[in-house]
Structure formats: C-alpha cells, structure tokens
Amino acid sequence: MTYASSARQPEPEPGQTWSRGAESPADGPEAGVASSAVNDSNVVPITAAHTSRQGAPRHADTSLPNPETAAKGKKSTPTAGKVQADALRMLGCVRIATVRQMAQVITGEESDGRSYVRRAMVELEKLGLAETNGKDGKHRIWNLTPAGQKALADGNELPARPKAGTGAKAVRAGLGPHGLAVTDTILAYTDTVLRGRREYLTDWQVEVNHAIKQTGLSFNTDAVLAVPTKTSEVRLFELDNGSMSRARLAKEVWDYKRYAGHRVWEGARGTIGGTYPFWQRHRYTRSKTFPRLHVVLAGKAEHLLDNRLQALTADVKGITIAVWANTLPRLQGGEPWYEIGVDDPHQRRARYPEAVGR
C-alpha cells in the first residue's frame, strides 16, 4: 500500500492515496488540549514527522484518578465505593463496556484491576443500577439500568440526557460488538491523542442525534467529544465495524456534508435578512468551523481495512467538510490520521441553494 507524501500540498485533491493527518499525540495540534483550547484551524498542517508515534509512552495511563501509590511503591487497594462510582460514570458516557474496558480506565491495570471492577459490577447489579444483557465472546457486556442513569443525574455527575438509552436493547439484539468498538475507539483516542488525560472521559457522549426537520435529514453520530478547540466546540466520530457496505458508509459521511451545507433564512419582517448555516445557528453556536468528522474503521483484518480506507477516500473525493480517517488498530497504536476531506465553507455555500425568505 502506498501513501502520499506527508507534506501538505496547497488545496489537495484526495485520491486513491492519502495525506497524513496531523492529529498525532506528540506534536500535532491536539498536543495542547490539556491547556484548554487547541489550535484546530480548518487548514491543519501535515508534518513529515508524523509517521510514527513520538514522545508519548505507548501505553499511557487512561484510568480515572486511582488510589495513591503507597510508600513502598505498591498501589493501595481501590475502595469498593470509588470503583463503583467510576464504573457508573464510565457507563454513563460510553453506554456499554466489558470489565476489561472498564478496568483499563478505572484502575489502569489490564488483569489485576479486573477483579476490583468485577466485584464492583456485582454490587451495582444487586443495587439495580447496572445489568448485563449479553456477551462478547466470554466477556459479559455491562450497561446501566434506568435507575443507574437517574443516580448519575441526581448526583450531578453527568449532564442529563432524558432520551438517552441504556444500550440494553442493542446488546440483547446482538449489536453489542459495534458499541464495544465505539468504546474501544473512545479509549484509544483518549490514550493516544488526549495524552491519557482521564478527566476527558466524561466529555464523551454516544449516539448523538443530528437532524434537520425541514429536510427530513436525521442521523446518529456514534460518539461526540465535547472538548473545545479554538475553532470548534466538539469533534464527531463515526465507526464502521465492518458491517456496512461501501455505499452505505460513503452515504453516512456525505450526510454530514448535507447537514453542514443547509442554510436557514433569518431576518425581521420587513427587512432584507440573510441566510446562515443551520448548524452554526442552532447546534454548535460557539464554533467558527464545522466540526471535524473522524471516521474509524474496525471489525476486519488489517489489509481489508486498508482496502476499505482506500475506497472511502475515493467515494468522498471533493467533500467540503474536514474528514480524517483511521483504522482502530492504528489508532490504538498511536499512528496519525489520514486527511481525506478538507473544510471549505465557500464551496459548500456555492453548491447549496439559498434558503427562501418570507
């Protein structure tokens, strides 16, 4: 497989090869996220240095704040109440997860931490706050109950989302692998791009609806990260777990362009008025540019994911929103993203008719 040069060319035309994205953990524009806003301009420089992970440790700590290290260098035993609270917060954000995934976050330990989390989940199940409705192989898939969601809301731990589901129906229907892959994407992004900053986990939401009633456009974004940059207040994530056709995947990406291109007319009666982007007026009102879309490919062998990435690049050629793509294994390994779409609001406006005023 061949890649285009990592150096950014003026006004690139995405083709069958890709340009390397700059969203790397060490030197990219996301490096400053820990100090509030990130320099996330709509024209992101592509640096040649981003061919491998640099600077950050390969397995950065993505856990929630864990117990203090004892004087002799040994970790103290996590309290049961703390592990239960962390498990509730995590499931409130990612909706479904296995004990392995929760241990990776809550204790920062791969195997030893699972026993703590497993015991915590048993207690939460007894309290009616969490439940399991299926398995991923031998691993039980956990989700909150409505009572667990209410406990989080009552404790002001997370923003209330009255219409948010628990994920139980999807797991019972056999759709758990997709949700677990979304959780793996969130953990990998937190590890490799957000430098393992554990506090950012509660800034994620999954299955976030975007809709424009006037046009009938409606779709759910797999995950949204609400960590503001200098130009946008969120980042959008779509995951394909190998279950969609090439045409369906391309349509889902183009739906974001349709959403970004829709304009609404505003103006007091008797005035000329004007048109404005729907998303900027009614959804992401503090953003200067349409949020970047990250497409993550998973669920297949690496060489098949490469083929799928090549095909997606061709299918979205000429799209006028910022689209970065990666495979889940590469994201977990800390490799940079591939830029396959560039934000261009002027071309978007030229391609969409003006909204009709009163």
Side-chain angles (χ1 to χ4, degrees), residues 63-68 75-92 98-109 112-125 127 129-130 142 144 152 157 201:
S63 62
L64 294 171
N66 53 359
E68 296 294 332
K75 292 183 179 179
S76 58
T77 303
T79 62
K82 182 182 184 308
V83 176
Q84 292 174 24
D86 287 345
L88 279 175
R89 280 193 291 267
M90 179 173 175
L91 288 176
T98 63
V99 165
R100 175 192 63 80
Q101 290 172 321
M102 287 187 279
Q104 180 182 341
V105 172
I106 294 171
T107 68
E109 302 174 34
D112 295 341
R114 296 185 194 181
S115 59
Y116 297 123
V117 176
R118 195 172 289 111
R119 287 196 292 269
M121 299 314 298
V122 170
E123 291 302 314
L124 290 174
E125 187 175 28
L127 294 172
L129 303 179
W142 290 90
L144 294 184
L152 280 175
E157 290 293 326
L201 186 68

Side-chain angles (χ1 to χ4, degrees), residues 23 25 30-31 33 188-195 235 331 337:
E23 195 157 8
E30 304 298 340
V33 71
Y189 193 90
T190 301
D191 180 9
T192 60
V193 178
L194 299 181
R195 303 279 193 126
R235 274 156 275 189
L331 177 59
W337 296 77

